[in-house]
Amino acid sequence: METVVSGIRPTGNLHLGNYFGAVKSFLKMQYEYNCFFFIADWHSLTTHPHPDNIRKSVKTILAEYLACGLDPEKTTIYIQSDVREVPELYLYLNMNAYLGELERVTSFKDKVRTQPNNVNAGLLTYPSLMAADIIIHKAVKVPVGKDQEQNMEMARKFARRFNQIYGVEYFPEPASFHLSEKAVKVPGLDGSGKMGKSEGNAIYLIDDEKTIKKKVMKAVTDSGPTEPNSEKPEAVANLFAMMEIVSEPSTYEYFNEKYNTCEIRYGDMKKQLAVDINAFCAPIREKILDIMANDAYLEKVAAQGAEKASVSAAKTLREVREIIGFRP
Ligand code: ADP
Ligand code: TRP
């Protein structure tokens, strides 16, 4: 069975973008592949050097993964910092990672701009740590959103380079994986762009009904079309895109028809969208709260995941040490 790896940094709660961009693929893949899904807490140190509450953030994401339907019996769910072999592989990859190529990574350049007082070596070597996460289980598929493409190219490059340097065919080259032909982009409802934590426009799985309604009713629209079948401006297109993702096709069709005949009332559409988002989130929200209250269960899942991930990682590191020529 082919191996799959993916991770999310614990820098906030999961939102609809994370769900439809990444977690939904995890849910499908867990029944078809040998999956490792982890919480990238070491990666979060590159931007959050004093994680006041890293244990709480990790616990929250773990509960959210489980509430979404990740099944710890079918898949290995673990916390990155529980697998001590990862930094050893990261060290080997860093010995063959070059300043020029690391400096050219767009997300590094962005961070140099946004956190000029903390351009640390971890930020520079973010792609080698991510490559270590992936190739440590010899994964061939990695479900991630479109924004991770450059990190994925680096992961392939580091895998290939290791093989070339040591004259082996050891690490497979991992490919990005998307559920549908086109990578899903969950839009923000604030006029343009995607939904994201840093964009400040996220609807979280944990948001209650009132919060969801408030966020949706604030969505940017316009004064409505004046010509039948006119093209939708971006903000309106985003509202429809969101409805297409969470509502019944017939609901989407109903409002689309109203738009095309210039009878759309955005207030009604937003009310319906808020109801549909809440209907989607409510059962997940309840489960998150239940699971969060069950520390013993969370601890058990984390321990079981750490054990399974460590067995896989230790096997790889034994072989890697032998390939490089260290003592077993
Ligand atoms: P954020 O952008 O909120 O900080 P992350 O960078 O932690 O989210 O992303 C975690 C995962 O969720 C990645 O695989 C990313 O591609 C995916 N993702 C995040 N936002 C969206 C979105 N709006 N649409 C689709 N996928 C998304
Ligand atoms: N860089 C990813 C993100 O920001 C998180 C991540 C770390 C990851 N290691 C990974 C994703 C390995 C997939 C595989 O979303």
Side-chain angles (χ1 to χ4, degrees):
M1 213 196 295
E2 287 183 325
T3 298
V4 167
V5 169
S6 192
I8 297 185
R9 285 169 301 135
T11 50
N13 292 88
L14 290 184
H15 53 74
L16 293 176
N18 300 137
Y19 183 91
F20 290 101
V23 177
K24 197 171 169 199
S25 314
F26 300 179
L27 296 179
K28 181 150 193 297
M29 294 180 106
Q30 65 181 340
Y31 299 108
E32 297 166 11
Y33 297 91
N34 177 30
C35 291
F36 293 87
F37 296 126
F38 69 97
I39 300 167
D41 54 352
W42 273 323
H43 272 110
S44 65
L45 293 181
T46 61
T47 50
H48 297 66
H50 306 290
D52 310 327
N53 229 328
I54 187 114
R55 290 187 70 163
K56 179 148 180 276
S57 323
V58 168
K59 179 179 151 184
T60 306
I61 297 265
L62 182 58
E64 291 181 332
Y65 269 174
L66 295 165
C68 287
L70 279 190
D71 178 350
E73 300 307 319
K74 290 267 178 294
T75 188
T76 304
I77 306 169
Y78 66 99
I79 301 162
Q80 186 185 33
S81 62
D82 280 337
V83 181
R84 312 295 164 101
E85 287 80 5
V86 170
E88 186 175 342
L89 184 56
Y90 170 55
L91 180 144
Y92 300 140
L93 297 182
N94 274 340
M95 295 300 171
N96 302 310
Y98 304 108
L99 183 60
E101 61 188 349
L102 294 169
E103 276 178 333
R104 276 195 300 276
V105 174
T106 321
S107 48
F108 175 71
K109 290 195 279 192
D110 287 345
K111 287 291 185 298
V112 170
R113 230 177 311 116
T114 54
Q115 55 177 67
N117 297 323
N118 184 22
V119 183
N120 58 72
L123 210 49
L124 182 71
T125 56
Y126 189 110
S128 35
L129 182 54
M130 177 157 161
D133 291 328
I134 297 168
I135 68 178
I136 202 155
H137 303 299
K138 302 175 99 176
V140 292
K141 290 199 171 104
V142 183
V144 276
K146 211 170 158 42
D147 53 324
Q148 296 298 310
E149 216 26 73
Q150 208 179 10
N151 285 333
M152 288 303 303
E153 255 165 52
M154 297 295 278
R156 285 190 282 276
K157 194 190 266 188
F158 293 141
R160 209 158 45 230
R161 192 173 288 163
F162 180 95
N163 292 344
Q164 271 160 6
I165 289 177
Y166 299 106
V168 287
E169 273 302 319
Y170 185 67
F171 287 119
E173 284 183 36
S176 314
F177 177 88
H178 309 298
L179 264 191
S180 52
E181 288 287 298
K182 231 169 82 220
V184 182
K185 188 190 95 176
V186 179
L189 295 181
D190 47 358
S192 66
K194 68 156 200 156
M195 176 180 291
K197 277 179 292 250
S198 19
E199 284 74 9
N201 59 6
I203 299 177
Y204 295 98
L205 298 177
I206 189 80
D207 282 346
D208 60 25
E209 188 171 1
K210 237 174 95 194
T211 310
I212 292 174
K213 185 153 185 211
K214 213 164 103 199
K215 289 182 178 175
V216 175
M217 294 314 284
K218 267 198 351 217
V220 175
T221 50
D222 60 7
S223 50
T226 48
E227 297 276 315
N229 303 312
S230 39
E231 201 184 318
K232 300 181 180 96
E234 190 180 2
V236 174
N238 281 350
L239 194 64
F240 274 93
M242 183 61 106
M243 185 166 252
E244 202 170 11
I245 292 171
V246 296
S247 302
E248 290 292 328
S250 56
T251 308
Y252 174 86
E253 279 314 321
Y254 173 84
F255 286 101
N256 200 36
E257 178 68 25
K258 291 273 177 213
Y259 184 87
N260 285 333
T261 54
C262 307
E263 296 168 294
I264 185 91
R265 287 166 47 174
Y266 291 123
D268 293 349
M269 181 176 175
K270 290 182 193 175
K271 265 188 218 143
Q272 183 63 49
L273 183 60
V275 167
D276 293 345
I277 291 178
N278 185 58
F280 171 80
C281 292
I284 299 180
R285 180 167 69 224
E286 264 170 47
K287 280 192 209 134
I288 297 174
L289 296 174
D290 266 2
I291 298 172
M292 281 290 279
N294 193 343
D295 276 324
Y297 175 61
L298 285 169
E299 187 44 49
K300 191 180 128 214
V301 171
Q304 182 183 316
E307 166 79 29
K308 284 200 276 178
S310 298
V311 168
S312 158
K315 175 169 185 292
T316 303
L317 262 294
R318 256 194 320 276
E319 292 165 355
V320 164
R321 291 180 68 99
E322 193 182 320
I323 290 170
I324 301 179
F326 292 122
R327 273 187 345 107

